[in-house]
């Protein structure tokens, strides 16, 4: 079955880059998602990538995929206090049940 | 474009009561998903509805049920509430297909006293 692992916490200084990591287990074609959850809110879709891609960039966000190691990362450039939130990685198998498997989330704390 | 909307925002019940949570998907989305987010447990998949049918169900007891209406909105019903049902219940919607990501509402906070 699918399993998605994330570290629980990351603390960075404002203006630095943040890198949030995720590992997954499914080896077939898959979609990989990053979501952001601010306090009291639902999950906001940030970006997603298909497993035939290595990288995707969208403004301050860069997603890197290492298929060999089944490792996904989300880099946030010039991290701001407004980026403080919980970030969830999720995996969905292509041609599967359409139900993503979510990691437990990484709590990003940005301090001045 | 309006996002996924959920109501109520907060719901307070006592043990043994029944709760009904509502969700309206993004216009054009036919699939609705329900998740439970309890403290320290991450997102747990509850139910998936598409075109009015239940398509998949997570590992939850039968007292968690729901339905999807012809306009694709959905209800989640929880009977015989227990203290451990206290959680944030999130609804998501998507179009049908592999590359259709889920979009989430802001959730209903259910508190059981």
């Amino acid at each position: 079955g699918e399993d998605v692992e994330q570290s629980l916490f990351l603390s960075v200084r404002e203006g630095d880059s943040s890198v949030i990591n995720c590992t997954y287990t499914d080896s077939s074609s898959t979609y990989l998602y990053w979501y952001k959850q601010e306090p009291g809110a639902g999950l906001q879709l940030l970006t997603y990538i298909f497993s035939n891609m290595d990288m995707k960039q969208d403004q301050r966000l860069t997603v890197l995929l290492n298929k060999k190691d089944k490792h996904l990362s989300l880099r946030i450039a010039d991290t701001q206090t407004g980026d403080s939130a919980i970030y969830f990685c999720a995996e969905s198998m292509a041609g599967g049940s359409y139900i993503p498997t979510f990691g437990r989330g990484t709590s990003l704390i940005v301090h001045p | 474009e309006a996002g996924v909307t959920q109501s109520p925002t907060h719901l307070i019940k006592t043990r043994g009561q029944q709760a009904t949570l509502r969700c309206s998907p993004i216009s054009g989305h036919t699939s609705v998903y329900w998740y439970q987010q309890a403290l320290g447990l991450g997102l747990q998949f509850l139910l998936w509805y598409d075109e009015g049918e239940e398509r998949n169900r997570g590992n939850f007891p039968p007292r968690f049920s729901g339905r999807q209406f012809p306009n694709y909105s959905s209800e989640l019903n929880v009977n015989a509430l227990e203290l451990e049902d206290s959680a944030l219940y999130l609804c998501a919607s998507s179009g049908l297909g592999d590359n259709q990501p889920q979009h989430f509402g802001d959730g209903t906070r259910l508190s059981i006293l």
Side-chain angles (χ1 to χ4, degrees):
Chain A
E2 302 159 11
D3 195 18
V4 177
E5 299 282 342
Q6 299 179 242
S7 54
L8 290 180
F9 298 99
L10 177 65
S11 178
V12 300
R13 186 169 296 174
E14 190 175 15
D16 287 350
S17 292
S18 306
V19 179
I20 303 170
N21 295 302
C22 169
T23 58
Y24 60 97
T25 57
D26 185 40
S27 57
S28 59
S29 299
T30 192
Y31 291 90
L32 296 145
Y33 308 87
W34 284 105
Y35 286 88
K36 175 185 180 183
Q37 186 178 32
E38 297 184 59
L43 274 66
Q44 173 196 352
L45 177 67
L46 290 176
T47 186
Y48 63 101
I49 191 170
F50 188 55
S51 55
N52 66 353
M53 299 169 65
D54 295 324
M55 186 182 101
K56 184 176 180 181
Q57 187 156 4
D58 184 3
Q59 298 182 347
R60 291 191 297 123
L61 304 179
T62 304
V63 177
L64 292 177
L65 177 60
N66 180 328
K67 289 184 282 291
K68 175 176 169 289
D69 295 337
K70 298 190 186 70
H71 181 268
L72 182 75
S73 67
L74 173 69
R75 179 177 179 269
I76 305 172
D78 186 25
T79 313
Q80 303 297 307
T81 54
D83 295 323
S84 293
I86 302 175
Y87 290 80
F88 289 90
C89 171
E91 173 193 22
S92 175
M93 209 164 51
S97 69
Y98 307 135
I99 310 300
T101 299
F102 286 84
R104 290 223 168 174
T106 299
S107 184
L108 174 65
I109 300 162
V110 182
H111 54 89
Chain B
E1 177 187 85
V4 176
T5 58
Q6 293 187 244
S7 63
T9 306
H10 294 95
L11 192 55
I12 300 173
K13 295 284 186 178
T14 57
R15 286 179 61 190
Q17 285 188 314
Q18 184 255 353
T20 298
L21 289 63
R22 296 180 175 82
C23 172
S24 291
I26 290 172
S27 177
H29 286 183
T30 61
S31 278
V32 170
Y33 310 79
W34 287 95
Y35 293 87
Q36 182 193 67
Q37 188 178 27
L39 204 59
L41 290 180
L43 264 74
Q44 306 293 317
F45 167 68
L46 269 163
L47 290 158
W48 169 30
Y49 292 96
D50 183 72
E51 297 286 358
E53 301 283 331
E54 182 181 302
R55 301 295 185 183
N56 205 336
R57 182 182 182 85
N59 189 24
F60 280 84
R63 58 191 185 82
F64 287 83
S65 66
R67 54 181 171 165
Q68 186 179 34
F69 299 98
N71 67 353
Y72 303 114
S73 67
S74 176
E75 267 182 10
L76 173 69
N77 295 294
V78 189
N79 293 322
L81 287 164
E82 300 178 2
L83 293 176
E84 53 264 35
D85 297 332
S86 293
L88 180 67
Y89 289 83
L90 292 166
C91 172
S93 73
S94 76
L96 193 62
D98 276 346
N99 62 342
Q100 302 297 317
Q102 296 183 358
H103 297 265
F104 285 78
D106 283 338
T108 293
R109 173 72 62 186
L110 176 62
S111 299
I112 312 303
L113 304 179

